[in-house]
Amino acid sequence: MNILVTGGAGYIASHTCVALQEAGHNVIIADNLCNSKVESIDGIKKITNKEITFYEIDVTDEEAVDIIFSNHDIDGVIHFAGLKAIDESVRNPLEYYYNNIVSTMVLTKACQKYGVNRFIFSSSATVYGDNKVPFEETMILLPTTNPYGETKAMSERILTDIANANPAFSVSILRYFNPVGAHESGLIGETPSGIPNNLMPYVTQVAKGRLEKLCMYGNDYPTVDGTGIRDYIHVVDLAEGHVAALENLTEGVHVYNLGTGKGTSVLELVKAFEEANGIKIPYEVVERRPGDIALCYADASKAKQELGWTAKRDLIAMCRDAWRFEKNHKE
Ligand code: NAD
Ligand code: UFG
């Protein structure tokens, strides 16, 4: 299939492009590089040794998107492009609502015009709010504490309404848990700008000596050791989940959790990183981070049953691969 991958130069999408090409699909990338670099596309090409068509465009730009659809016989769209920094979305809500919602509308409009009926959307576990774990796809979505989360819930709603009105339109909504790690080649990975917000890139930068120590946000949660529990998933497993979703897509709207189903605490992740890489990670326990929840992990059984997909790589592989990329990566 010819697959349009929006945000294809980004962290999760670049790994998905590799998995798509390895499964025999052709990839067309649309990215405005607002949070990525063209080097990641070079990385994909080096890994797969295949060509990629790249359009440096903003996917909220209707005319630019139309040109891609008229130039290629597109079979499906995987829509990753989006802004994702939670605190920035609180400070700058309009930018988030505009970018993340308008992009979904522009792309679905082009799909309707050109008769493209396969659409896969990057959603997030954040839409579950503080439901009871493990999170199941059938749970009522709870309001999130930030505009970013709202853009994901709203995009899900928009896609569901469009599919309800157009029975041929097939949508897969993928709710990611906490993607970490990197391709084992060390050629592509996560490159956050500035000081990382997320745990794993913060840990790898402490390991590299760029940051002095990890600030652990609270150790008084009702969890095994008091630190927050998350469902960390290797980004290559997550990427393979997209191929499974694409190849098993049927009419209607389908929602899948892409997680491991296993919760890991902040302390456990730090210990696993130290064990995997033989590097000590100094840390200090500080106040809880506003907006954080204690527990977040998936019930991952639906994706296993319907897509035949499960995450295979363990926490040690996630830590080893994250560090390999960080070590090799030049600023
Ligand atoms: P990323 O920032 O690495 O990738 C997003 C890509 O989209 C970037 O390359 C950026 O340049 C591009 N982009 C953004 N707005 C665009 C626009 N208007 N037009 C064209 N390109 C645009 O982020 P990621 O972590 O790979 O996330 C990918 C998707 O998955 C996002 O939609 C994100 O919200 C979602 N998601 C991420 C996580 C996570 O923890 N990383 C968790 C849940 C969901
Ligand atoms: N944490 C620290 N110190 C840090 C960073 C994080 O202790 O410097 C802790 C957090 O308090 C939390 C855990 O590590 O307990 C994971 O935090 P992340 O920031 O890595 O991830 P979140 O679970 O907060 O959020 C991520 C993405 C969201 C997405 C969500 C889905 O950033 O976009 O996963 O589960 F919505």
Side-chain angles (χ1 to χ4, degrees):
M1 287 189 259
N2 292 324
I3 305 300
L4 173 61
V5 180
T6 75
Y11 172 48
I12 304 169
S14 56
H15 292 82
T16 304
C17 289
V18 170
L20 286 166
Q21 289 193 320
E22 284 174 345
H25 303 291
N26 295 319
V27 171
I28 299 138
I29 289 179
D31 198 307
N32 64 2
L33 304 180
C34 70
N35 197 38
S36 54
K37 298 209 172 77
V38 77
E39 284 76 37
S40 68
I41 299 177
D42 299 335
I44 303 169
K45 287 186 196 159
K46 265 192 202 144
I47 294 168
T48 64
N49 212 10
K50 292 197 173 120
E51 267 319 301
I52 289 183
T53 310
F54 170 47
Y55 290 85
E56 188 176 339
I57 63 141
D58 191 310
V59 291
T60 62
D61 179 341
E62 228 175 306
E63 277 176 33
V65 167
D66 196 275
I67 290 171
I68 301 181
F69 277 78
S70 63
N71 282 354
H72 302 272
D73 194 6
I74 291 170
D75 297 295
V77 176
I78 310 186
H79 180 30
F80 290 96
L83 301 174
K84 61 160 187 176
I86 289 174
D87 54 338
E88 190 183 57
S89 79
V90 174
R91 290 195 306 274
N92 207 345
L94 184 56
E95 194 186 346
Y96 272 68
Y97 282 112
Y98 189 86
N99 195 71
N100 291 4
I101 306 281
V102 174
S103 59
T104 303
M105 294 197 294
V106 165
L107 287 160
T108 45
K109 200 171 158 193
C111 283
Q112 295 203 333
K113 179 173 168 190
Y114 288 90
V116 176
N117 283 324
R118 293 184 187 87
F119 199 96
I120 296 183
F121 177 65
S122 298
S123 190
S124 165
T126 196
V127 297
Y128 291 111
D130 59 359
N131 263 297
K132 199 167 165 296
V133 286
F135 296 152
E136 292 168 21
E137 290 88 346
T138 48
M139 283 173 164
I140 302 273
L141 303 189
L142 296 179
T144 59
T145 51
N146 58 79
Y148 166 75
E150 292 304 315
T151 68
K152 291 298 175 189
M154 227 175 265
S155 288
E156 288 198 10
R157 186 73 250 161
I158 291 168
L159 290 167
T160 304
D161 289 343
I162 294 171
N164 287 341
N166 303 277
F169 196 54
S170 309
V171 178
S172 194
I173 290 169
L174 305 181
R175 294 183 182 148
Y176 310 155
F177 283 71
N178 289 57
V180 294
H183 191 267
E184 63 172 11
S185 64
L187 289 169
I188 52 174
E190 194 172 10
T191 53
S193 46
I195 295 177
N197 288 314
N198 297 120
L199 180 61
M200 184 67 94
Y202 203 105
V203 167
T204 58
Q205 294 200 15
V206 171
K208 207 173 188 179
R210 283 190 68 193
L211 295 167
E212 190 196 336
K213 60 177 181 229
L214 173 70
C215 294
M216 221 174 255
Y217 296 135
N219 65 354
D220 56 353
Y221 285 106
T223 62
V224 269
D225 55 27
T227 65
I229 301 268
R230 295 292 182 273
D231 185 341
Y232 298 97
I233 173 168
H234 196 296
V235 67
V236 175
D237 278 323
L238 186 59
E240 290 170 0
H242 290 73
V243 178
L246 177 72
E247 293 180 348
N248 290 285
L249 189 57
T250 53
E251 285 176 8
V253 182
H254 310 274
V255 183
Y256 298 104
N257 286 338
L258 295 187
T260 63
K262 189 174 173 297
T264 301
S265 76
V266 179
L267 264 175
E268 286 167 344
L269 185 136
V270 169
K271 294 290 157 233
F273 187 92
E274 292 180 339
E275 185 192 327
N277 299 309
I279 302 171
K280 198 104 195 103
I281 302 296
Y283 68 84
E284 179 190 358
V285 177
V286 299
E287 288 288 287
R288 289 181 179 192
R289 182 172 64 177
D292 272 357
I293 54 174
L295 294 150
C296 173
Y297 57 89
D299 177 331
S301 54
K302 187 178 172 199
K304 183 176 182 188
Q305 268 161 24
E306 294 188 10
L307 306 177
W309 171 90
T310 46
K312 298 187 202 83
R313 294 160 180 87
D314 65 10
L315 196 59
I316 294 291
M318 299 180 212
C319 294
R320 190 194 57 216
D321 293 342
W323 174 233
R324 184 188 298 109
F325 177 73
E326 181 71 55
K327 226 175 13 183
N328 293 343
H329 178 66
K330 311 262 182 311
E331 298 312 307

